[in-house]
mmCIF file of all heavy atoms in Angstrom:
data_model
loop_
_atom_site.group_PDB
_atom_site.id
_atom_site.type_symbol
_atom_site.label_atom_id
_atom_site.label_comp_id
_atom_site.label_asym_id
_atom_site.label_seq_id
_atom_site.Cartn_x
_atom_site.Cartn_y
_atom_site.Cartn_z
ATOM 1 N N ILE A 12 7.769 40.790 -16.433
ATOM 2 C CA ILE A 12 6.993 41.081 -15.226
ATOM 3 C C ILE A 12 7.445 42.430 -14.680
ATOM 4 O O ILE A 12 8.627 42.638 -14.401
ATOM 5 C CB ILE A 12 7.177 40.019 -14.123
ATOM 6 C CG1 ILE A 12 6.920 38.612 -14.658
ATOM 7 C CG2 ILE A 12 6.237 40.297 -12.962
ATOM 8 C CD1 ILE A 12 7.015 37.544 -13.583
ATOM 9 N N ALA A 13 6.504 43.331 -14.504
ATOM 10 C CA ALA A 13 6.822 44.632 -13.927
ATOM 11 C C ALA A 13 7.206 44.481 -12.455
ATOM 12 O O ALA A 13 6.952 43.444 -11.832
ATOM 13 C CB ALA A 13 5.619 45.571 -14.070
ATOM 14 N N ALA A 14 7.814 45.506 -11.911
ATOM 15 C CA ALA A 14 8.203 45.489 -10.499
ATOM 16 C C ALA A 14 6.988 45.266 -9.608
ATOM 17 O O ALA A 14 5.935 45.888 -9.809
ATOM 18 C CB ALA A 14 8.874 46.812 -10.140
ATOM 19 N N HIS A 15 7.129 44.351 -8.644
ATOM 20 C CA HIS A 15 6.068 44.042 -7.684
ATOM 21 C C HIS A 15 4.765 43.652 -8.377
ATOM 22 O O HIS A 15 3.676 43.918 -7.859
ATOM 23 C CB HIS A 15 5.832 45.211 -6.733
ATOM 24 C CG HIS A 15 7.059 45.634 -5.981
ATOM 25 N ND1 HIS A 15 7.727 44.782 -5.119
ATOM 26 C CD2 HIS A 15 7.738 46.801 -5.963
ATOM 27 C CE1 HIS A 15 8.766 45.414 -4.606
ATOM 28 N NE2 HIS A 15 8.809 46.635 -5.104
ATOM 29 N N ASP A 16 4.881 43.027 -9.534
ATOM 30 C CA ASP A 16 3.710 42.585 -10.284
ATOM 31 C C ASP A 16 3.775 41.071 -10.447
ATOM 32 O O ASP A 16 4.722 40.424 -9.999
ATOM 33 C CB ASP A 16 3.669 43.289 -11.641
ATOM 34 C CG ASP A 16 2.269 43.308 -12.249
ATOM 35 O OD1 ASP A 16 1.352 42.699 -11.665
ATOM 36 O OD2 ASP A 16 2.096 43.919 -13.318
ATOM 37 N N VAL A 17 2.764 40.503 -11.099
ATOM 38 C CA VAL A 17 2.696 39.048 -11.273
ATOM 39 C C VAL A 17 2.535 38.694 -12.746
ATOM 40 O O VAL A 17 2.150 39.534 -13.574
ATOM 41 C CB VAL A 17 1.531 38.434 -10.463
ATOM 42 C CG1 VAL A 17 1.724 38.644 -8.971
ATOM 43 C CG2 VAL A 17 0.188 39.001 -10.922
ATOM 44 N N TRP A 18 2.819 37.426 -13.039
ATOM 45 C CA TRP A 18 2.650 36.869 -14.385
ATOM 46 C C TRP A 18 1.812 35.601 -14.230
ATOM 47 O O TRP A 18 2.195 34.685 -13.509
ATOM 48 C CB TRP A 18 4.005 36.549 -15.002
ATOM 49 C CG TRP A 18 3.967 36.207 -16.473
ATOM 50 C CD1 TRP A 18 4.017 34.963 -17.038
ATOM 51 C CD2 TRP A 18 3.879 37.132 -17.559
ATOM 52 N NE1 TRP A 18 3.972 35.053 -18.405
ATOM 53 C CE2 TRP A 18 3.883 36.384 -18.761
ATOM 54 C CE3 TRP A 18 3.798 38.520 -17.627
ATOM 55 C CZ2 TRP A 18 3.808 36.978 -20.008
ATOM 56 C CZ3 TRP A 18 3.725 39.119 -18.881
ATOM 57 C CH2 TRP A 18 3.732 38.353 -20.051
ATOM 58 N N VAL A 19 0.657 35.562 -14.888
ATOM 59 C CA VAL A 19 -0.270 34.432 -14.752
ATOM 60 C C VAL A 19 -0.169 33.530 -15.974
ATOM 61 O O VAL A 19 -0.306 33.994 -17.107
ATOM 62 C CB VAL A 19 -1.722 34.925 -14.587
ATOM 63 C CG1 VAL A 19 -2.689 33.745 -14.535
ATOM 64 C CG2 VAL A 19 -1.858 35.765 -13.316
ATOM 65 N N VAL A 20 0.075 32.248 -15.731
ATOM 66 C CA VAL A 20 0.129 31.239 -16.794
ATOM 67 C C VAL A 20 -1.009 30.263 -16.569
ATOM 68 O O VAL A 20 -1.196 29.766 -15.443
ATOM 69 C CB VAL A 20 1.474 30.481 -16.787
ATOM 70 C CG1 VAL A 20 1.539 29.504 -17.961
ATOM 71 C CG2 VAL A 20 2.640 31.447 -16.823
ATOM 72 N N THR A 21 -1.789 29.975 -17.603
ATOM 73 C CA THR A 21 -2.895 29.028 -17.474
ATOM 74 C C THR A 21 -2.753 27.884 -18.468
ATOM 75 O O THR A 21 -1.980 27.963 -19.426
ATOM 76 C CB THR A 21 -4.269 29.704 -17.717
ATOM 77 O OG1 THR A 21 -4.381 30.053 -19.108
ATOM 78 C CG2 THR A 21 -4.442 30.931 -16.854
ATOM 79 N N ASN A 22 -3.527 26.857 -18.224
ATOM 80 C CA ASN A 22 -3.650 25.759 -19.176
ATOM 81 C C ASN A 22 -4.262 26.300 -20.471
ATOM 82 O O ASN A 22 -5.074 27.222 -20.441
ATOM 83 C CB ASN A 22 -4.537 24.665 -18.569
ATOM 84 C CG ASN A 22 -4.647 23.425 -19.448
ATOM 85 O OD1 ASN A 22 -5.291 23.446 -20.491
ATOM 86 N ND2 ASN A 22 -4.026 22.355 -19.022
ATOM 87 N N GLY A 23 -3.888 25.713 -21.606
ATOM 88 C CA GLY A 23 -4.352 26.228 -22.882
ATOM 89 C C GLY A 23 -5.389 25.374 -23.587
ATOM 90 O O GLY A 23 -5.648 25.592 -24.773
ATOM 91 N N GLN A 24 -5.995 24.406 -22.879
ATOM 92 C CA GLN A 24 -6.966 23.508 -23.518
ATOM 93 C C GLN A 24 -8.276 24.253 -23.739
ATOM 94 O O GLN A 24 -9.062 24.456 -22.813
ATOM 95 C CB GLN A 24 -7.201 22.271 -22.648
ATOM 96 C CG GLN A 24 -8.020 21.168 -23.317
ATOM 97 C CD GLN A 24 -7.240 20.441 -24.398
ATOM 98 O OE1 GLN A 24 -6.055 20.182 -24.257
ATOM 99 N NE2 GLN A 24 -7.915 20.101 -25.482
ATOM 100 N N VAL A 25 -8.535 24.663 -24.973
ATOM 101 C CA VAL A 25 -9.708 25.475 -25.286
ATOM 102 C C VAL A 25 -10.943 24.620 -25.490
ATOM 103 O O VAL A 25 -12.028 24.928 -24.989
ATOM 104 C CB VAL A 25 -9.454 26.336 -26.542
ATOM 105 C CG1 VAL A 25 -10.703 27.112 -26.916
ATOM 106 C CG2 VAL A 25 -8.294 27.287 -26.303
ATOM 107 N N THR A 26 -10.811 23.542 -26.244
ATOM 108 C CA THR A 26 -11.951 22.673 -26.542
ATOM 109 C C THR A 26 -11.862 21.378 -25.729
ATOM 110 O O THR A 26 -10.768 20.966 -25.342
ATOM 111 C CB THR A 26 -11.998 22.325 -28.039
ATOM 112 O OG1 THR A 26 -10.754 21.713 -28.409
ATOM 113 C CG2 THR A 26 -12.196 23.588 -28.863
ATOM 114 N N PRO A 27 -12.978 20.721 -25.449
ATOM 115 C CA PRO A 27 -12.943 19.476 -24.671
ATOM 116 C C PRO A 27 -12.050 18.435 -25.326
ATOM 117 O O PRO A 27 -12.050 18.269 -26.545
ATOM 118 C CB PRO A 27 -14.405 19.031 -24.665
ATOM 119 C CG PRO A 27 -15.190 20.294 -24.858
ATOM 120 C CD PRO A 27 -14.359 21.134 -25.772
ATOM 121 N N ASP A 28 -11.253 17.731 -24.507
ATOM 122 C CA ASP A 28 -10.418 16.659 -25.028
ATOM 123 C C ASP A 28 -11.168 15.334 -24.893
ATOM 124 O O ASP A 28 -12.388 15.316 -24.719
ATOM 125 C CB ASP A 28 -9.064 16.622 -24.315
ATOM 126 C CG ASP A 28 -9.194 16.372 -22.809
ATOM 127 O OD1 ASP A 28 -10.290 15.968 -22.356
ATOM 128 O OD2 ASP A 28 -8.202 16.569 -22.099
ATOM 129 N N ALA A 29 -10.439 14.214 -24.986
ATOM 130 C CA ALA A 29 -11.072 12.893 -24.942
ATOM 131 C C ALA A 29 -11.827 12.656 -23.640
ATOM 132 O O ALA A 29 -12.752 11.837 -23.584
ATOM 133 C CB ALA A 29 -10.020 11.807 -25.144
ATOM 134 N N ASN A 30 -11.446 13.388 -22.586
ATOM 135 C CA ASN A 30 -12.120 13.245 -21.294
ATOM 136 C C ASN A 30 -13.145 14.347 -21.056
ATOM 137 O O ASN A 30 -13.595 14.558 -19.921
ATOM 138 C CB ASN A 30 -11.079 13.274 -20.170
ATOM 139 C CG ASN A 30 -10.100 12.121 -20.277
ATOM 140 O OD1 ASN A 30 -10.488 10.981 -20.479
ATOM 141 N ND2 ASN A 30 -8.806 12.429 -20.142
ATOM 142 N N SER A 31 -13.512 15.055 -22.124
ATOM 143 C CA SER A 31 -14.460 16.171 -22.042
ATOM 144 C C SER A 31 -13.977 17.257 -21.098
ATOM 145 O O SER A 31 -14.769 17.935 -20.439
ATOM 146 C CB SER A 31 -15.855 15.663 -21.604
ATOM 147 O OG SER A 31 -16.373 14.747 -22.543
ATOM 148 N N ALA A 32 -12.669 17.434 -21.022
ATOM 149 C CA ALA A 32 -12.085 18.418 -20.108
ATOM 150 C C ALA A 32 -11.489 19.585 -20.896
ATOM 151 O O ALA A 32 -10.970 19.404 -21.992
ATOM 152 C CB ALA A 32 -11.004 17.758 -19.258
ATOM 153 N N PHE A 33 -11.575 20.779 -20.318
ATOM 154 C CA PHE A 33 -10.999 21.971 -20.940
ATOM 155 C C PHE A 33 -10.768 23.005 -19.845
ATOM 156 O O PHE A 33 -11.232 22.861 -18.706
ATOM 157 C CB PHE A 33 -11.923 22.541 -22.019
ATOM 158 C CG PHE A 33 -13.294 22.932 -21.520
ATOM 159 C CD1 PHE A 33 -13.569 24.239 -21.157
ATOM 160 C CD2 PHE A 33 -14.295 21.984 -21.394
ATOM 161 C CE1 PHE A 33 -14.812 24.593 -20.681
ATOM 162 C CE2 PHE A 33 -15.555 22.330 -20.917
ATOM 163 C CZ PHE A 33 -15.820 23.640 -20.558
ATOM 164 N N CYS A 34 -10.030 24.057 -20.175
ATOM 165 C CA CYS A 34 -9.776 25.136 -19.225
ATOM 166 C C CYS A 34 -10.917 26.142 -19.302
ATOM 167 O O CYS A 34 -11.324 26.553 -20.391
ATOM 168 C CB CYS A 34 -8.444 25.819 -19.542
ATOM 169 S SG CYS A 34 -7.971 27.103 -18.353
ATOM 170 N N ASP A 35 -11.439 26.536 -18.147
ATOM 171 C CA ASP A 35 -12.532 27.487 -18.092
ATOM 172 C C ASP A 35 -12.123 28.781 -18.803
ATOM 173 O O ASP A 35 -11.081 29.358 -18.498
ATOM 174 C CB ASP A 35 -12.879 27.787 -16.634
ATOM 175 C CG ASP A 35 -14.176 28.561 -16.489
ATOM 176 O OD1 ASP A 35 -14.361 29.568 -17.198
ATOM 177 O OD2 ASP A 35 -15.019 28.163 -15.657
ATOM 178 N N PRO A 36 -12.928 29.265 -19.770
ATOM 179 C CA PRO A 36 -12.566 30.490 -20.493
ATOM 180 C C PRO A 36 -12.370 31.694 -19.576
ATOM 181 O O PRO A 36 -11.580 32.586 -19.882
ATOM 182 C CB PRO A 36 -13.757 30.696 -21.430
ATOM 183 C CG PRO A 36 -14.353 29.344 -21.609
ATOM 184 C CD PRO A 36 -14.146 28.635 -20.303
ATOM 185 N N ILE A 37 -13.090 31.739 -18.456
ATOM 186 C CA ILE A 37 -12.921 32.856 -17.525
ATOM 187 C C ILE A 37 -11.506 32.856 -16.954
ATOM 188 O O ILE A 37 -10.858 33.895 -16.845
ATOM 189 C CB ILE A 37 -13.960 32.783 -16.386
ATOM 190 C CG1 ILE A 37 -15.364 32.964 -16.947
ATOM 191 C CG2 ILE A 37 -13.668 33.835 -15.318
ATOM 192 C CD1 ILE A 37 -16.455 32.838 -15.901
#
């Protein structure tokens, strides 16, 4: 992480799972 910057971590579920859930590609 650069000075005064941020690091964004997201969920990695690309395709729908058993509950038809996934992380929005945006």
